[in-house]
Amino acid sequence: MFPEAELTSKGEGLYNVVVIGAGTAGLVTAAATAGMGGRVALVERDRMGGDCLNTGCVPSKALISSARLVAQVRRAEEWGLDPMEPRFDFARVFARMRERRAKIAPHDSAERFESLGVDVFRGQARFLSPREVEVDGRRLSARNFVIATGTRPAVPPVPGLSEVPFFTNETVFDDLREKPERLVVLGGGPVGCELGQTFARLGVRVTIVHRPPEILPKEDADAAVTVRRALEREGVAVLAGAEARRVSRSGRALVVEVGVAGSDSRIVNADAILVAAGRVARTDDLGLEAAGVARGKNGITVNRYLQTSQPHIYAAGDVVGGYRFTHVAGAHARVIARNILFPWWKAKWDDSVVPWCTYTSPELARVGWNEEDARKRGVQVDVWRQPFEEVDRAVVESEETGFAKVITRKGSDRILGATIVSEHAGDLLHELVLAMKAGVGLKQISSTIHAYPTFAEVSRQIADEYQKSRLTPGVRRLLEWWYRRARRA
């Protein structure tokens, strides 16, 4: 355990850990270390809770929830109801999002963390040396430091963009006060697709401009196409293989000149622009040079123990690049908390089984490899696919769009990866995530009883297909012989 903390005034003396950044990674590190008896300082220059609470997961999913209900009302006839058009007020939907966020916020508040024994400091932290940081003129010393400062939105160098107002995820949830009639989204990754569909469902004419030839380029190609078709059915104009070449004003309207591969430029008029073109690590103003902490193209460089180039300084969450997800940031923090407590018995960060989900409708969830990953590695695989139109619960719920796909090593039931594109995909994926983590193969999933009717049966159905594949012609002839023998007995 940590040595018993002396009765030292806040900010004075030596801390076991100074954590810089009060997003998920920083909060989990601080709470875990303080809970194990450590003396912890937590520094945050902006809002407690970081991007996830304030400008990311929480507000976006609250809006998605409202927009999903709006979309279901529009589909009322599919459930045998009279056709109807949803009635809603755009401002009230945003107010509900902020109210839901405010309900969660106390869990991440400075008051709660002070009650846990963490000394919370508000301000910009800057390293003075590898062993000391300054926060608004106050110096803090510690045996260990954790950098968990996250990322900020990347703004593409489009001529004219900096001269007009635009939104990012950091501003759209609080600064957008009235419904735009037309919205251009720059970027067709998860944020662009999620918010693009959400705004379309709330009555906004949305155009997504995306440079690669397909949206969600990191995902399974079939799954990305399924999501794109769903967006287009709901009125989202998807310009893939395109880029914004210039942005300007024309009266009150914003004018985006878009270059599309294989065709002439086109003009897209908008009332608002949302930039969703990736993220950049927040490392400015930290004084990393004074600390001797190295950084690379995608963020701070760490080893498998999440140590930086200074072994007593760790980095966690989005600031290190790689998988930039809230759940990964929390997992980083748990590894670091253990490594600070037991420096002679360090745990390695294991990213071999990391799930994620894009919360469009349908959702797109993924863990491990897809077919392209296997091809690049030269690994022979079997692909098992099950459409949701053959899952009874999906049929009765009128949610047949999508499929589940599992990749196994050739001739084996060992799961190398899975992709699910469907409603509830993020929840459904975790049976396969746990199977991968525990080394459970399709054979065991097939023999596991699943409640009927549930969406989760899709995993058992895929596993059943694997089991059927083992019935080779030779085995079948042997079984036929055995049945004939049984009939004569």
Side-chain angles (χ1 to χ4, degrees):
M1 294 293 292
F2 292 108
E4 185 175 351
E6 303 87 356
L7 295 176
T8 307
S9 298
K10 181 177 178 180
E12 302 297 328
L14 186 68
Y15 285 94
N16 293 105
V17 187
V18 170
V19 180
I20 304 172
T24 299
L27 294 176
V28 174
T29 301
T33 307
M36 293 186 290
R39 185 169 184 243
V40 182
L42 175 63
V43 184
E44 174 54 54
R45 69 177 183 180
D46 195 359
R47 291 183 285 182
M48 296 287 290
D51 286 344
C52 181
L53 172 65
N54 298 293
T55 62
C57 308
V58 170
S60 65
K61 302 315 170 277
L63 278 185
I64 287 170
S65 176
S66 295
R68 183 188 304 114
L69 183 56
V70 169
Q72 286 179 318
V73 172
R74 291 196 179 106
R75 296 171 56 201
E77 288 182 279
E78 296 180 34
W79 281 270
L81 308 180
D82 291 337
M84 60 186 77
E85 184 61 27
R87 298 174 57 188
F88 63 91
D89 180 80
F90 187 87
R92 284 181 61 192
V93 170
F94 267 65
R96 183 258 179 190
M97 170 269 291
R98 297 181 187 112
E99 178 271 327
R100 294 287 91 185
R101 182 178 61 184
K103 188 170 184 178
I104 295 173
H107 186 266
D108 294 348
S109 67
E111 293 76 15
R112 175 173 179 264
F113 275 78
E114 291 276 3
S115 75
L116 297 176
V118 176
D119 289 344
V120 178
F121 297 87
R122 309 306 293 270
Q124 172 66 48
R126 183 176 181 83
F127 281 98
L128 301 176
S129 73
R131 297 286 179 178
E132 191 175 44
V133 298
E134 182 182 54
V135 183
D136 290 347
R138 169 173 271 174
R139 296 189 175 198
L140 304 177
S141 300
R143 291 182 59 84
N144 294 99
F145 295 85
V146 178
I147 302 170
T149 49
T151 58
R152 57 178 171 79
V155 179
V158 179
L161 181 60
S162 62
E163 300 167 18
V164 302
F166 62 86
F167 295 99
T168 68
N169 75 291
E170 290 189 341
T171 59
V172 70
F173 300 114
D174 291 300
D175 294 352
L176 181 63
R177 292 296 174 175
E178 60 182 25
K179 186 182 88 170
E181 293 302 315
R182 301 161 299 180
L183 174 69
V184 169
V185 180
L186 301 183
V191 174
C193 289
E194 288 180 6
L195 292 183
Q197 184 180 51
T198 295
F199 277 101
R201 289 177 162 186
L202 296 177
V204 179
R205 296 201 302 275
V206 176
T207 301
I208 293 177
V209 180
H210 188 58
R211 181 176 293 179
E214 190 53 79
I215 62 171
L216 302 172
K218 295 182 180 180
E219 304 296 349
D220 182 278
D222 292 347
V225 168
T226 300
V227 172
R228 176 174 178 168
R229 289 172 178 166
L231 297 181
E232 292 174 334
R233 280 196 302 271
E234 297 188 26
V236 177
V238 179
L239 302 181
E243 62 180 340
R245 291 180 176 170
R246 182 172 297 277
V247 177
S248 60
R249 279 185 179 274
S250 178
R252 297 185 61 184
L254 301 175
V255 180
V256 183
E257 180 185 344
V258 179
V260 182
S263 65
D264 296 332
S265 295
R266 67 179 69 181
I267 298 299
V268 181
N269 294 310
D271 303 296
I273 294 173
L274 174 65
V275 175
R279 310 288 296 179
V280 178
R282 292 184 188 273
T283 57
D284 299 337
D285 302 322
L286 287 176
L288 296 183
E289 295 79 8
V293 172
R295 55 186 160 185
K297 179 181 178 181
N298 296 318
I300 294 176
T301 304
V302 294
N303 62 17
R304 297 296 290 178
Y305 305 106
L306 300 176
Q307 294 168 299
T308 69
S309 50
Q310 291 283 1
H312 69 288
I313 301 177
Y314 294 81
D318 290 3
V319 76
V320 304
Y323 294 111
R324 285 175 167 163
F325 304 114
T326 295
H327 47 281
V328 170
H332 279 174
R334 288 189 287 272
V335 171
I336 289 173
R338 171 179 166 173
N339 289 346
I340 290 173
L341 180 61
F342 302 114
W344 60 88
W345 185 29
K346 287 186 172 65
K348 290 184 179 180
W349 165 243
D350 178 10
D351 61 358
S352 60
V353 184
V354 175
W356 64 86
C357 183
T358 298
Y359 296 91
T360 48
S361 290
E363 294 179 353
L364 198 169
R366 160 93 179 274
V367 64
W369 296 1
N370 60 19
E371 293 164 88
E372 180 64 15
D373 295 324
R375 187 191 65 77
K376 289 179 179 178
R377 290 170 171 82
V379 177
Q380 296 294 310
V381 297
D382 291 317
V383 180
W384 311 97
R385 179 182 172 125
Q386 183 69 10
F388 274 87
E389 62 189 12
E390 296 180 13
V391 178
D392 290 355
R393 181 62 182 274
V395 173
V396 300
E397 295 278 356
S398 294
E399 299 292 3
E400 302 102 311
T401 298
F403 60 86
K405 182 187 290 187
V406 173
I407 310 297
T408 60
R409 192 172 292 277
K410 189 75 174 177
S412 165
D413 75 337
R414 179 190 170 195
I415 301 171
L416 299 178
T419 294
I420 303 178
V421 56
S422 74
E423 294 301 321
H424 315 292
D427 298 295
L428 296 174
L429 184 71
H430 285 84
E431 179 175 5
L432 298 168
V433 175
L434 181 60
M436 288 181 65
K437 185 69 175 178
V440 171
L442 291 181
K443 180 180 178 181
Q444 289 172 280
I445 293 176
S446 176
S447 64
T448 300
I449 299 173
H450 290 64
Y452 176 88
T454 60
F455 284 91
E457 282 191 293
V458 71
S459 295
R460 197 219 69 231
Q461 290 175 341
I462 283 179
D464 287 349
E465 290 303 309
Y466 164 76
Q467 289 290 73
K468 292 176 185 176
S469 73
R470 302 174 69 198
L471 189 61
T472 63
V475 172
R476 183 177 180 85
R477 287 193 297 272
L478 178 62
L479 293 176
E480 288 174 347
W481 171 82
W482 181 258
Y483 275 124
R484 287 195 302 270
R485 183 176 182 278
R487 290 196 298 270
R488 299 191 194 102

